[in-house]
Structure formats: structure tokens, C-alpha cells
Amino acid sequence: FTDVFFTVTAAQVAQIKASKANAYIVFAFGKFAVQASIEAAKLGWKPKLVIVNGLGFEGWLPRLVKSAGNKARVVTATSGIKPRKPDEAAGHSHAGHSHDEADPHAWQSVANAKIYVTNIRHALSGVDAAGAETYRANAEAYLAKLDAFDREIRDMVAKIPADRRKVISSHD
């Protein structure tokens, strides 16, 4: 009963939903996936819940929901996150989204990923009250994993002298 428009968010939904139901990834980068999503709308795409990243990442989504005549609840996983601004995020645009207003890659921060998890748990519980306890327990377990991951990374970075810390990132 849930459609998700980005693979990172879908992975988070899958952690929280566990065996309760499937999360369908409707969007991935590239024209083919967007076209497939439009075709899904034409073929009767009617989810109860659509979870999006937000922050300008899915600028085409309102047209898709409208064209499908869908009454789905649309939840923004980044709600409550203070986004990085372009001067902090080296603004650029690609693959159907841009970074002119804010960096939509908020999941790259563990603190932000935890906000995603909480927002997703509340969204799932809002459309499936019977599964709320499962979603709560799964979200709590996932949050604990995120905390452990954050500690592990911080411990590894702390072992590197501050003047030798460099970050190299690939983003196409």
C-alpha cells in the first residue's frame, strides 16, 4: 500500500515495514523510470500512501499524482529537516532534480536519516493503524542501528589526525 519515489527512502521504508507489506519503488534516476511511473499512473496506480524525499527532489510528482486522479496521502520524509543551502552543497542540477533552493540529499546525515525514519513510521501508522506497533518496534530497532553506525564512523574518523581528514565524493 506504499509507493516510494527514491531508492534510499524505499530502503528506509522496508526497514520499518519489514514483512507487513511491500514498498514499491516507482522512481529511480533517468527518463525510463519517470516514464514508467507515468505509465503506472495511466494503468490505475492507486496507492494509499506515497512517501517522497522532498526538498525539491521530486518536482514532477504533483503532476503524476494529479494525472492518476489519486487521493493518496503524500508524506515528505524530510519534513522537519533543515536543509543545507546551495553555497554549502555546491549547487548543481541533474537527473530531474536540482539543488537551487536546498540540497535534497539529507539522508547522508545520520541525524537526518533518523528524522526520515520517524516520519516514515508515523506515515505508515497513519494509513495502517493495525500495523502501528510493528512499525514502532521496527523503527526503534532501525534507529538503534543508525546510532551504532554513527558511533562507529565517528570512532573511525577520530583516529585520523584532523589535518589529514579529507572527504572524496562521487556524484553524477
Side-chain angles (χ1 to χ4, degrees):
F1 63 81
T2 306
D3 281 5
V4 181
F5 284 86
F6 181 55
T7 53
V8 171
T9 310
Q12 293 169 320
V13 170
Q15 288 287 320
I16 298 164
K17 285 179 98 171
S19 63
K20 282 289 294 173
N22 292 325
Y24 301 99
I25 303 169
V26 178
F27 172 70
F29 291 117
K31 286 183 179 181
F32 175 77
V34 173
Q35 185 61 37
S37 297
I38 291 168
E39 291 303 315
K42 290 177 185 174
L43 293 173
W45 172 72
K46 302 283 185 210
K48 292 180 186 175
L49 175 64
V50 175
I51 300 174
V52 298
N53 184 76
L55 300 176
F57 202 77
E58 303 96 345
W60 50 271
L61 179 64
R63 292 187 316 273
L64 175 62
V65 173
K66 183 179 178 183
S67 69
N70 199 316
K71 303 283 188 217
R73 180 173 175 215
V74 178
V75 173
T76 303
T78 55
S79 181
I81 291 175
K82 182 180 183 249
R84 291 174 44 187
K85 299 297 178 197
D87 60 323
E88 301 170 55
H92 60 282
S93 80
H94 55 87
H97 72 279
S98 70
H99 304 209
D100 297 335
E101 300 293 320
D103 179 2
H105 304 91
W107 67 84
Q108 294 177 341
S109 153
V110 173
N112 287 344
K114 291 170 67 173
I115 293 171
Y116 277 71
V117 170
T118 300
N119 289 338
I120 292 166
R121 176 183 59 109
H122 289 300
L124 293 171
S125 297
V127 297
D128 179 23
E133 180 53 31
T134 298
Y135 304 140
R136 186 205 58 76
N138 292 344
E140 290 301 319
Y142 190 29
L143 291 170
K145 287 179 185 177
L146 288 171
D147 285 337
F149 175 69
D150 191 46
R151 281 190 303 276
E152 180 183 349
I153 296 300
R154 288 178 186 278
D155 289 346
M156 289 180 358
V157 170
K159 293 175 184 174
I160 302 169
D163 64 333
R164 305 240 3 204
R165 295 178 192 165
K166 307 263 187 262
V167 175
I168 299 173
S169 172
S170 173
H171 189 291
D172 297 337

